[in-house]
Amino acid sequence: MTEESLTSRHDTATYEPTRKQSRRALISSFLGSTVEYYDFLLYGAAAGLVFPILFFPETMDPALGAALSFVILLAGYVSRPIGGILFGHFGDRVGRKSMLFITAPFTPHSPCVHLRRLS
């Protein structure tokens, strides 16, 4: 192979997505961001109203329970971008589908920990 054919095969600057692909990417990213922010909105409301009573002992000060609930919210708020950067980097190198299969099993574990406390 010549050097010219190698560079032309891997030249991504000429790729132009179709209008349908652009619209689909825009809608998908909008819906994903909407669900993510709605999740944080609900958790933030529940952290102040419900979690101090539901998940912490009655002997604990309710203000401390609310503060701890918001610290958990903060941990999730900080860890999402870090995970996005980390898994995004490896997703670009290894493949996004493989990163999805690595991260997907972690998703249901957080709610299961809280549900086990209720029983």
Side-chain angles (χ1 to χ4, degrees), residues 69-114:
S69 297
F70 285 117
V71 167
I72 295 168
L73 175 68
L74 176 68
Y77 202 73
V78 169
S79 67
R80 279 198 180 173
I82 293 171
I85 292 169
L86 180 71
F87 286 105
H89 168 74
F90 287 113
D92 289 342
R93 297 218 180 248
V94 178
R96 292 184 180 156
K97 189 173 185 180
S98 59
M99 289 297 107
L100 176 66
F101 283 121
I102 290 172
T103 58
F106 296 115
T107 305
H109 291 305
S110 177
C112 292
V113 171
H114 292 297

Side-chain angles (χ1 to χ4, degrees), residues 54-69:
L54 191 62
F55 291 115
F56 297 105
E58 293 176 8
T59 57
M60 183 184 287
D61 183 27
L64 178 62
L68 290 174
S69 297

Side-chain angles (χ1 to χ4, degrees), residues 3 9 18-19 24 29 34 36-37 42 50 53-54 65-66 70 76 80 82 85 92 98 100 103 105 108 113-114 117:
E3 187 177 327
R9 280 181 43 192
T18 64
R19 185 174 171 93
R24 185 174 183 187
S29 62
T34 301
E36 182 178 2
Y37 288 120
L42 285 179
V50 179
I53 300 164
L54 191 62
F70 285 117
R80 279 198 180 173
I82 293 171
I85 292 169
D92 289 342
S98 59
L100 176 66
T103 58
V113 171
H114 292 297
R117 264 191 102 160

